[in-house]
Amino acid sequence: MLDTLLTALGNLFAAQHLMFLAVGVVIGMAIGILPGLGGIAGLSLLLPFLYGMNEVSALAMLVGLIAVINTSDTFTSVLMGIPGSSASQATVVDGFPLAQQGHAARALGAAFSASLLGGVFGALLLSVAVLVARPVILAFSSAEMFMLAVFGMSMVGVLAGASLAKGLAACGIGLVLGTIGPAPATGVERMHLGIDYLRDGLPLVVVALGLFAFPEIVDLLRLNRPIAKASKLGAGWMQGFCDTVRHWFIVLRCSGLGALVGAIPGLGGSVVDWIAYGHVVQTSRDKSKFGSGDIRGVVAPESANNACQGGALMPTLLFGVPGSGSMAIFLAGLVLLGIEPGPSMVGENLSLSYTVVWSLALANVIGAGLCLLLAGPIARLTLIPFTLIAPFMMVVITFAAFQARRDLSDLVLLLGVGLVGILLRRFGWPRPAVLIGFVLAPQAETYLYQAVQFYSWGFLARPGVLIILAITAVSVFLGSRSRVGEEGVVRGGAEAASAPHPGARRRGPQILFAAGAATLFAFAIVDGLRHSFLAAVFPVAVGAASLAAGGYVLWAVTGRRVDHPANQDQEVTGAHVGDPTVADPWTSVAWFAALFALAALLGYLLAVALFFLVFVRKRAGRSWPVTVAYTVAMLACVLLLGHALSLDFPRGLLQAYVDLPWPFN
Amino acid sequence: MRTIMHTSRRRLIKAAVAGALAASLPLAAHAADFRGKTIDFVIPFPVAGGSDVWARFYAPFMTKYLPGNPTVVVKNVPGGGSTRGANEFAERAKPDGLTILGTSGSTQFPYLLGDTRVRYEYKDWTPVLASPTGGVVFVNANLGVKSAADIAALRKAKLIYGSEGATSLSLVPMLAFRQLDLPVQYVFGMKARGGARLAFERGESNIDYQTSSAYLASVVPLVKAGKAVPLFSWGVLDASGKLARDPTFPDLPHVGEVIGAAGGKQSGLEWDTLMAFITAGFGAQKIVVLPKGTPKDIVAAYSQAFGKMQSDPQFAATKEKILGEYPQATGKDAETLYRVATQVSPASRYWVREHLVQNYGVKFE
């Protein structure tokens, strides 16, 4: 075994394989930095080139790409406040405030070193796991999987912010949105309103972009200033490394947690960062700075999301069952290479498994090193006024959203979820809770149904279930004592007193929003009752519980007690209120909407061209030559990306009537 | 009068022949050539997954063997259980050979079942390749059976099968188990066949099937370890269209043999229905089709390309891992297989729809 391990390392060190590893790392870094694009986009990019490649080279390239995405996505999260990929949303909470306070270097230093350690930890675990993980993964039956989904949801407790009821209702929004589409038990399509797009359910990519990236871009755009207040990264690199070393125990725990979440098929990498973040907040004694720049809030999710990949590779290699969307594509890559994953990966193909392990470790080291080297030039991007970055960001996330179904409806949904995201943020409904609910709804429903079918209700007495239940109870207990919201830490009981509340002034918008949420829950119940018991029981139960929480929130924001913590409105109490330079958020939303409308009319490329010309000229106020040069450069980027991904751009009405030459067709 | 008519008819024929010749001349002069062109290979499934891998395996060989060596790009258009991509192809693809579709059993099934989402018509399309595959049904060794001969013993057992859904490819085992009188409880919502296999390995389900490649990679080790027992295969269609043993598993009886041995008939409504869905799901699982009205020369170019690549040394060396040992049907063979795989009698359709509605709560809105 040891000699297989060493032979695999020796093989990998052939110049050719290392070169492919580096190719993977470089592509992965670029994909990670681009907001919204993650492992799925990156791996799809490489898939067409795999056929006929040498197995070791190809594995090195694929693993190199997967490994570094979660390292380089930190740039975007910390420097711009927009998640670079879905697995680094939590990094924004403390990383972005640190950057704004001039400690970007410290935050990045800590993030890269934590990523490095987490990634290597994941690789180490994988190297042992390929030999012993089979029985462990087999021990997680549908019953334990269901409990893990419940455990994931318990994190909502700690991420709920000032009002626990609001957190639960927010989670309910996610759960209800997650039940749209085919029911796991019967396949009957729920809550589709007769719209074909909704029959397949909502795509995660669009929901995550809408909840997190869209509101952030709108917000930065209206504040209208460079992203970084300070012009330098700061000199905190060493301090960042020391932070990671000082918090070695957090790194260790979160790496373990990340690898575990990754190893369970279906839990998925898009909530691993929130789970790690929730965990570190729960277990820290001094929580006063979380949400406003605590370095532990950076270290925890970054170590977890890199370790997650090592974990996710376990079921992929050992059972051929992918743990996440990107792993599904990795799996297809293996099959294209003629490697059939399964028990053979610890038998005759053991050396290939170790190639994966070594590539993972090496890529994490190289990735962290490259990020350090490139930090200077990349950070300079943040000095560019946001009005110039914004159109680029808008086009990139539109592009990323369109990857989901390659349907114009992707953009409509992005706009819709984006608006909801803005309102959630404004009224203090925790967006992570929505995402966690959304991701875990299908898991919870499928596994609950299967567990009851396989074991009947006796599944609740299985030892594994009881253990996870106990952990969940501890987590809920810790979470109920103190929580963290987007505005920082809150203390106190279920309904903690929040900082400035809007009082009785202008509560109309909030009341409307809470009423809207309650309507959604009621709709879930009404729609659910149309279906057979198996398809109805989950949405109806979730709808009823959420309606209780939502009803309470509605009561709280309409009631007499104006200092109730559920009463929040950023547009009344936020720091920017009364600042004449701050624009209305709706003008920024209108820009987005204009881009989508143009795309629907003219097709994507013409729309992007026109959008850039108008935006850069009018909104950013640049001269015509600059505007045109910038537009041409952006179009070239989009075309290149589209070509590499062999992607059709959205077609508009125009294309339906007129045959246009490439690339506008 | 007669002569006039005669001559005029002759003239007419002459003119028609001349016209046809004139019309065919430019075609003959420009036999299909895809030089500098890009061909969109539409796959109505997401990236990764069986059909995507199959298409990406074929793409480079299509470039090599199609006249003019066009670039072949796999375009994934998932959604609606593959009906969306197929609908879009039916509505948009021009008959110029630059857009082709790769369907799968999951595209054939909703069509055969009369799903309302289906707006495509297989009869409009021209098949140029059909890729068969096979599958093996196996049970947990703790049920005490040694082979399909002991199948009677299973009638008293508590059998549980993990299914992706009643209208998925798992419809085939559901129909087969019904004919064998096996009392199977179906647990739905499995994530693909891999998820069902994991449930089998955990002991949650105890009867399962896997397609050939997954069976060889992941179930054969379980059989060797004494944890699983194979019962029968889905078989393959021989030249006369009859069910025969799968050459990949020559020692295993096919489903027809087992039904016969259990006293069932290889005829009648239920048997015909099972056969229709076995062919649509496995016998011609993946099919490459050209749009309605594609000119003959383009069809011929594709047929020849798929035919020729079968003897390419590199194709032959690597095909087994992706396609298994099944002979790929091209030309006339593909057409024959295609016809069988995309047809079901109205009686069978009615019966299977009723069966699904009444026993599994499926809704055909």
Side-chain angles (χ1 to χ4, degrees), chain A residues 264-319:
Chain A
I264 305 305
L267 267 194
S270 43
V271 290
V272 64
D273 49 336
W274 289 117
I275 292 180
Y277 188 78
H279 169 75
V280 76
V281 173
Q282 274 177 349
T283 52
S284 299
R285 222 167 270 127
D286 172 20
K287 304 174 210 260
S288 57
K289 278 168 71 193
F290 279 112
S292 54
D294 192 313
I295 199 72
R296 290 171 298 182
V298 173
V299 170
E302 284 305 311
S303 45
N305 65 19
N306 278 60
C308 180
Q309 304 296 353
L313 280 163
M314 293 176 200
T316 313
L317 292 175
L318 292 177
F319 295 95

Side-chain angles (χ1 to χ4, degrees), chain A residues 217-545:
Chain A
I217 292 177
V218 166
D219 211 45
L220 286 168
L221 196 56
R222 64 190 284 228
L223 297 181
N224 205 12
R225 48 182 171 238
I227 297 162
K229 283 180 190 159
S231 59
K232 280 187 224 130
L233 277 174
W237 290 108
M238 273 321 286
Q239 200 189 346
F241 301 146
C242 294
D243 284 325
T244 302
V245 175
R246 199 151 45 87
H247 298 301
W248 63 272
F249 194 48
I250 293 180
V251 173
L252 190 66
R253 278 179 298 160
C254 290
S255 299
L257 200 60
L260 176 73
V261 170
I264 305 305
L267 267 194
S270 43
V271 290
V272 64
D273 49 336
W274 289 117
I275 292 180
Y277 188 78
H279 169 75
V280 76
V281 173
Q282 274 177 349
T283 52
S284 299
R285 222 167 270 127
D286 172 20
K287 304 174 210 260
S288 57
K289 278 168 71 193
F290 279 112
S292 54
D294 192 313
I295 199 72
R296 290 171 298 182
V298 173
V299 170
E302 284 305 311
S303 45
N305 65 19
N306 278 60
C308 180
Q309 304 296 353
L313 280 163
M314 293 176 200
T316 313
L317 292 175
L318 292 177
F319 295 95
V321 174
S324 63
S326 48
M327 279 302 143
I329 300 178
F330 180 73
L331 194 64
L334 290 183
V335 178
L336 273 177
L337 291 168
I339 305 167
E340 184 74 45
S344 69
M345 297 309 286
V346 287
E348 67 256 47
N349 283 337
L350 186 63
S351 77
L352 285 180
S353 297
Y354 282 130
T355 304
V356 170
V357 169
W358 283 116
S359 304
L360 189 61
L362 265 180
N364 267 297
V365 175
I366 299 174
L370 269 180
C371 282
L372 277 181
L373 276 178
L374 295 176
I378 291 175
R380 234 166 273 147
L381 288 178
T382 56
L383 293 182
I384 303 171
F386 194 71
T387 45
L388 283 183
I389 299 182
F392 174 71
M393 293 284 189
M394 288 161 125
V395 166
V396 169
I397 72 159
T398 312
F399 184 87
F402 183 68
Q403 293 261 24
R405 296 268 168 81
R406 305 194 177 179
D407 187 324
L408 267 180
S409 308
D410 287 329
L411 305 188
V412 177
L413 180 66
L414 178 65
L415 187 65
V417 180
L419 286 175
V420 173
I422 290 173
L423 295 175
L424 287 168
R425 195 182 133 112
R426 171 172 165 184
F427 301 133
W429 294 57
R431 291 176 293 166
V434 179
L435 185 77
I436 289 178
F438 178 76
V439 172
L440 296 181
Q443 307 295 329
E445 181 177 10
T446 309
Y447 290 125
L448 175 62
Y449 157 72
Q450 289 180 1
V452 173
Q453 290 280 304
F454 285 134
Y455 307 104
S456 77
W457 287 100
F459 85 84
L460 288 168
R462 287 169 62 92
V465 170
L466 291 176
I467 292 171
I468 306 172
L469 195 64
I471 297 173
T472 310
V474 172
S475 161
V476 169
F477 172 72
L478 288 173
S480 67
R481 292 199 310 177
S482 56
R483 298 187 297 277
V484 60
E486 302 204 21
E487 298 304 308
V489 165
V490 277
R491 297 177 162 283
E495 301 299 317
S498 70
H501 61 81
R505 282 174 297 153
R506 290 169 46 196
R507 290 194 297 178
Q510 285 199 70
I511 294 171
L512 267 182
F513 187 76
T519 313
L520 176 73
F521 302 144
F523 175 61
I525 299 174
V526 172
D527 180 87
L529 291 174
R530 295 192 305 127
H531 302 299
S532 63
F533 176 75
L534 282 179
V537 59
F538 189 81
V540 170
V542 162

